[in-house]
Amino acid sequence: MPRLVEKTLLTHSATAAAITRSATARVLLTAITTLLILYLTISPPSKSTCHSLFLSFSDNATAARHLLALTRRPHVAGTAANAAAAAYVLAVLSSSSLPAYSVSYDVFLNYPIRRSLILSPFPPPLPGPILAFDLVQEIYPGDPYADVAAEVLPTFHAYASSGATAGPAAYANYGRLEDFAALRVAGVNVTGAVVLARYGEIFRGDILKNAKDAGAAAAVVFTDAKDYGGGGRGRFPEGPGMPASGVQVGTTYRAVGDPTTPGWASTSGCERWSAAEMAASGLGPGIPSLPVSARDGEAILRTIGGQVAADDWQGGEGAPLYRLGPGPGFLNLTFIGNETLATIQNVFAVIEGEEEPDRYVLLGNHRDAWTFGAVDPSSGTAALLEVAQRFGKLQKKGWRPRRTIIICNWDAEEYGLIGSTEWVEENREMLASRAVAYLNVDCAVSGPGFQAFATPQLDELLKQASKKVQDPDNSSQTLYESWIASNYSSLIGRLGGRGSDYAAFLQHVGVPSVDMIFGGGYPVYHSMYDDFVWMEKFGDPMFHRHVAVASIWGLVALRLADEEFLPFDYISYASELQRSTKIVEDDALGMPVTFAPLYKSIEELKKAATKIDNQIKALERNFLSLNWRKDPLKVRELNDRLMMAERAFTDRDGLFGREWYKHLIYGPSMHDGYGSKSFPGIDDATEKAKSLNTSDSWSFVQHEVWRVARAVTQAALVLNGKFT
Ligand SMILES: *[C@@H]1O[C@H](CO)[C@@H](O)[C@H](O)[C@H]1NC(C)=O
Ligand SMILES: *[C@@H]1O[C@H](CO)[C@@H](O)[C@H](O)[C@H]1NC(C)=O
Ligand SMILES: *[C@@H]1O[C@H](CO)[C@@H](O)[C@H](O)[C@H]1NC(C)=O
Ligand SMILES: *[C@@H]1O[C@H](CO)[C@@H](O)[C@H](O)[C@H]1NC(C)=O
Ligand SMILES: *[C@@H]1O[C@H](CO)[C@@H](O)[C@H](O)[C@H]1NC(C)=O
Ligand SMILES: *[C@@H]1O[C@H](CO)[C@@H](O)[C@H](O)[C@H]1NC(C)=O
């Protein structure tokens, strides 16, 4: 009961002067002081002492040990190896005296059964030497995982269509809409072609969709050495770059969650879509595809003739000259996948809140990996376990959080955020009425440089927490100091993309969320070379970055769980909305759209935010001057307004054409699932109106502006806590 101690002390010092005048009082005072000291020695430490203790428990050896254990074998969702990894996580949580359990779902996954890719330099029926690619990632010199290399899944694109197809090869740069538009302008017809695109700019599912929409029969996507070769530092194991045979695998699913249960949870015996219903809704790209290595990509490019591609479509040093095709190089591609209901496991640990057990702060990370997954996601899992163990130690010192903390370890994120999405869908109303915040870490570390993404009411808390954590790369400064010295265009990014497990929490339910990482894109991403050796050599040689992530992640959780008033800042949310509005307004400059309703609603939000801040300050003041105890119901009522304001940004109808996404401020852009834009509904409508340029299409933009404005007004009302 640390809060009681503080109150007693305060009340005591306020009256101390009067009491000390009489000797009797002095005796009384001594007695009280003795009692207090006795109480302090047997009572648990204060919340802020606990938070400092949490930071002092940091230990790079723990994170390194967990990472080594988690990356011993490849652990793809639905496999025995990943079930074993779940058992490991469960055991670590339990051994930290945290009540832990797992929840299973049967979900629709697919695995590769048969793949082949054959290249001939001439179109049939011309005879020519053929090259059948072996599509194998090679073991490297000294590879400690050579014994389990056969357990690495054959390279594939999850949910690509099964089939055998053939056509002339054509080159499409990064596979963006503008790349296919450029091909059209150049008169290159990719209908019936097998399109070769490179990774690096947009989500692979969108590359394949664009290829299919352009008429391609199939697609091949490679990691160009120019983008993934490690720059001047060389290829793994000498440098961090992708080896010549390295392949980036991954999902092509453009929605989230189990495809057989769109919008509801995959519970036992539940309603499920048939294969036909899934196909009709566009599961996967609708064409066969394969990811290939830089070496295979270059071999294909050597056989493509026709116009020379533009400079910014070319490869790096030593690469052949890239041409557009199609042909004469000719590709035969076969992919057969096994689509199956597989069992996945989410693992949880719960630290029950002492005063508000029905308010939840959630920390989450996924466990399933395409291969060994040292960066993605086991660095995050190792950090999560490090946080959990530190919480366990704090409990032994007598700490109990005010609110409940839930530690979540998701499965099948790689296929399409499936584990987290099914759980959020199953518990939607509980989360909507009780969740305070969701704090995600996917990859914790891929290199130097801290990056954070958040809903804006959490910006200030993130900054404050980063001032308490040491910079892992320079012990004479804080994480905050190195962070602000970085060159990111804005310090804290937003969560518009659907890149990780925060999507269901924020974009479906409207729970304030955070995502954090050290580093960013890294060359061996989703390949066999994302292993412990790579991490130790290039990602985090001393494991200090893992520790720093665990520290800030846990500290933010502790403050959200322990502080009497939720540390949410809606004034900064309103300022951020104003900035974002300016961007969409500039985008539609000179068009028949007014953003005045949105600006007006943001003003209302700013007023409401200032008002609730003042109400909290007044309560604090009254407490200091006269009250023994704040009215707990009043505190709760203010906190509920802070908690529920984010929910008001969601709309029952969701984004147009993508109704699962309910949040009108943060959601993925229509053409790049990784892209992060504010006001996705306005953005999509503007894009469309720009190409159609009809008055109807501009009216629709206006409608989207009104919708967002109404949501912001609702949030202001929630913050005010008053009916109109
Ligand atoms: C593109 O190629 C396909 C298949 O060869 C053909 O049917 C189509 O007419 C071509 N389109 C144009 C615009 O040339
Ligand atoms: C590739 O496909 C073409 C056209 O379908 C076919 O004529 C040829 O025999 C195939 N080549 C191989 C090696 O499978
Ligand atoms: C497809 O997956 C199921 C379930 O995992 C398995 O039982 C079956 O053997 C697989 N089929 C093939 C052809 O690999
Ligand atoms: C480490 O941080 C200190 C204090 O900010 C700074 O003066 C120094 O240049 C930094 N060292 C390196 C190697 O960046
Ligand atoms: C920021 O950019 C400048 C110029 O491009 C560069 O010299 C500096 O090293 C960068 N700083 C960080 C922290 O990346
Ligand atoms: C932990 O950090 C220390 C230096 O602070 C270093 O000597 C040690 O090797 C690190 N441990 C691991 C496992 O990297």
Side-chain angles (χ1 to χ4, degrees):
M1 295 285 283
R3 281 192 326 117
L4 254 184
V5 177
E6 286 162 18
K7 281 171 206 159
T8 315
L9 276 170
L10 283 165
T11 320
H12 165 73
S13 62
T15 48
I19 294 174
T20 42
R21 272 186 219 116
S22 84
T24 354
R26 213 168 294 133
V27 174
L28 197 64
L29 176 62
T30 317
I32 291 173
T33 313
T34 314
L35 275 174
L36 254 175
I37 289 168
L38 191 68
Y39 182 76
L40 279 172
T41 47
I42 57 164
S43 74
S46 77
K47 288 279 156 70
S48 71
T49 306
C50 286
H51 299 179
S52 306
L53 266 176
F54 172 83
L55 293 175
S56 74
F57 292 151
S58 66
D59 179 4
N60 62 342
T62 318
R65 203 172 49 242
H66 289 313
L67 190 71
L68 187 63
L70 287 161
T71 56
R72 181 65 191 89
R73 296 167 65 189
H75 46 290
V76 177
T79 64
N82 202 35
Y88 176 84
V89 168
L90 197 65
V92 172
L93 295 173
S94 302
S95 72
S96 309
S97 314
L98 307 181
Y101 62 98
S102 78
V103 175
S104 299
Y105 297 105
D106 289 342
V107 300
F108 188 81
L109 305 181
N110 85 338
Y111 304 101
I113 294 180
R114 200 146 64 75
R115 308 158 309 146
S116 79
L117 186 65
I118 298 164
L119 173 69
S120 98
F122 311 116
L126 293 180
I130 62 160
L131 176 58
F133 295 109
D134 66 8
L135 306 173
V136 169
Q137 305 187 78
E138 288 158 11
I139 292 161
Y140 56 91
D143 188 344
Y145 300 107
D147 62 329
V148 287
E151 291 179 24
V152 175
L153 271 194
T155 53
F156 80 124
H157 278 147
Y159 302 117
S161 307
S162 288
T165 178
Y171 173 55
N173 198 22
Y174 293 108
R176 296 165 296 191
L177 282 175
E178 63 259 42
D179 295 323
F180 285 100
L183 285 175
R184 263 196 314 279
V185 169
V188 174
N189 181 0
V190 300
T191 302
V194 176
V195 156
L196 175 70
R198 49 184 182 181
Y199 280 116
E201 289 291 337
I202 59 171
F203 172 55
R204 70 185 76 69
D206 294 315
I207 297 180
L208 300 178
K209 177 178 192 301
N210 295 342
K212 177 175 190 281
D213 291 349
V220 174
V221 188
F222 77 112
T223 41
D224 196 330
K226 179 183 166 193
D227 301 314
Y228 293 87
R233 299 173 65 198
R235 294 173 151 157
F236 187 62
E238 286 75 35
M242 181 81 111
S245 71
V247 177
Q248 181 195 122
V249 305
T251 191
T252 63
Y253 187 38
R254 294 173 70 253
V256 302
D258 180 357
T260 66
T261 61
W264 65 92
S266 299
T267 51
S268 150
C270 71
E271 175 191 3
R272 286 186 194 267
W273 268 9
S274 66
E277 281 167 306
M278 282 189 278
S281 86
L283 170 69
I287 50 174
S289 70
L290 283 174
V292 299
S293 65
R295 184 158 65 202
D296 296 353
E298 283 189 10
I300 297 168
L301 279 157
R302 283 199 182 86
T303 69
I304 298 180
Q307 300 173 49
V308 174
D311 283 352
D312 56 348
W313 287 44
Q314 292 297 330
E317 213 175 307
L321 186 65
Y322 295 180
R323 295 171 181 271
L324 303 178
F330 192 89
L331 283 168
N332 289 31
L333 183 154
T334 304
F335 172 73
I336 308 293
N338 185 5
E339 313 199 316
T340 176
L341 279 186
T343 304
I344 62 167
Q345 296 89 20
N346 293 334
V347 181
F348 300 92
V350 179
I351 307 172
E352 198 176 331
E354 194 170 46
E355 290 160 75
E356 297 189 77
D358 61 342
R359 289 292 176 265
Y360 305 107
V361 174
L362 302 107
L363 293 82
N365 146 269
H366 75 93
R367 182 185 66 257
D368 65 302
W370 280 123
T371 65
F372 300 98
V375 173
D376 185 4
S378 308
S379 59
T381 316
L384 185 75
L385 294 178
E386 153 96 1
V387 171
Q389 286 182 311
R390 292 200 222 169
F391 284 166
K393 284 189 195 161
L394 267 191
Q395 277 192 321
K396 292 211 170 73
K397 302 269 182 196
W399 164 79
R400 293 285 174 280
R402 176 187 173 97
R403 305 182 180 86
T404 295
I405 294 178
I406 305 182
I407 289 170
C408 316
N409 184 232
W410 311 117
D411 204 343
E413 188 269 356
E414 295 293 0
Y415 278 85
L417 320 183
I418 291 180
S420 60
T421 299
E422 295 314 306
W423 189 77
V424 168
E425 286 174 347
E426 184 169 21
N427 297 286
R428 189 189 61 213
E429 293 306 317
M430 283 286 285
L431 289 166
S433 56
R434 299 171 161 205
V436 166
Y438 174 68
L439 313 173
N440 191 67
V441 171
D442 185 319
C443 308
V445 183
S446 65
F450 180 67
Q451 295 196 70
F453 307 83
T455 45
Q457 76 275 61
L458 288 163
D459 287 6
E460 187 51 35
L461 175 60
L462 271 172
K463 287 181 203 162
Q464 287 172 9
S466 72
K467 290 176 184 168
K468 303 269 187 215
V469 175
Q470 194 185 77
D471 173 10
D473 294 302
N474 181 346
S475 58
S476 57
Q477 65 182 10
T478 63
L479 181 57
Y480 181 74
E481 285 163 317
S482 70
W483 189 19
I484 51 167
S486 66
N487 285 336
Y488 304 119
S489 55
S490 62
L491 195 58
I492 298 178
R494 299 303 161 205
L495 295 167
R498 57 169 150 71
S500 192
D501 292 305
Y502 56 79
F505 286 92
L506 174 63
Q507 298 165 3
H508 190 55
V509 178
V511 177
S513 297
V514 169
D515 192 35
M516 293 178 280
I517 184 174
F518 255 91
Y522 62 105
V524 298
Y525 171 67
H526 283 189
S527 80
M528 187 177 101
Y529 309 100
D530 181 3
D531 67 9
F532 190 83
V533 178
W534 191 93
M535 178 63 83
E536 222 181 8
K537 275 186 146 171
F538 306 108
D540 194 9
M542 297 282 202
F543 289 88
H544 290 168
R545 295 172 192 147
H546 279 78
V547 167
V549 170
S551 291
I552 186 164
W553 196 4
L555 186 58
V556 168
L558 285 173
R559 292 206 40 202
L560 286 164
D562 281 342
E563 284 189 15
E564 184 172 38
F565 290 106
L566 291 175
F568 282 0
D569 176 3
Y570 280 94
I571 297 176
S572 99
Y573 212 133
S575 309
E576 176 67 18
L577 290 183
Q578 234 155 4
R579 264 193 298 279
S580 309
T581 303
K582 184 84 180 73
I583 294 170
V584 281
E585 186 181 32
D586 286 350
D587 199 29
L589 207 64
M591 296 303 162
V593 183
T594 169
F595 289 80
L598 187 47
Y599 282 119
K600 180 161 171 281
S601 67
I602 294 169
E603 278 309 313
E604 291 164 10
L605 183 69
K606 191 172 271 176
K607 265 196 218 118
T610 310
K611 195 158 146 200
I612 194 165
D613 258 25
N614 290 337
Q615 286 170 334
I616 291 170
K617 282 187 196 127
L619 214 56
E620 302 270 8
R621 255 198 321 274
N622 287 345
F623 161 63
L624 286 179
S625 56
L626 23 116
N627 291 349
W628 262 96
R629 192 165 151 66
K630 285 179 214 120
D631 177 356
L633 282 179
K634 184 66 196 157
V635 172
R636 172 85 166 197
E637 191 267 339
L638 279 160
N639 277 331
D640 279 356
R641 279 149 61 186
L642 291 167
M643 177 179 78
M644 296 307 285
E646 181 78 40
R647 245 70 103 202
F649 296 131
T650 62
D651 183 284
R652 220 176 286 257
D653 295 335
L655 294 179
F656 181 72
R658 295 173 294 156
E659 288 72 18
W660 185 86
Y661 295 98
K662 305 293 183 197
H663 205 283
L664 298 189
I665 296 171
Y666 298 114
S669 110
M670 190 83 102
H671 300 295
D672 178 14
Y674 286 167
S676 176
K677 290 231 166 105
S678 301
F679 309 129
I682 300 177
D683 188 63
D684 284 346
T686 306
E687 283 302 301
K688 195 155 180 203
K690 277 181 171 173
S691 71
L692 297 177
N693 206 15
T694 58
S695 72
D696 274 2
S697 63
W698 286 109
S699 309
F700 190 66
V701 177
Q702 188 66 66
H703 170 67
E704 290 290 327
V705 172
W706 277 113
R707 281 184 79 198
V708 177
R710 288 192 286 267
V712 174
T713 299
Q714 292 286 342
L717 281 174
V718 171
L719 273 188
N720 275 332
K722 288 246 163 55
F723 287 112
T724 57

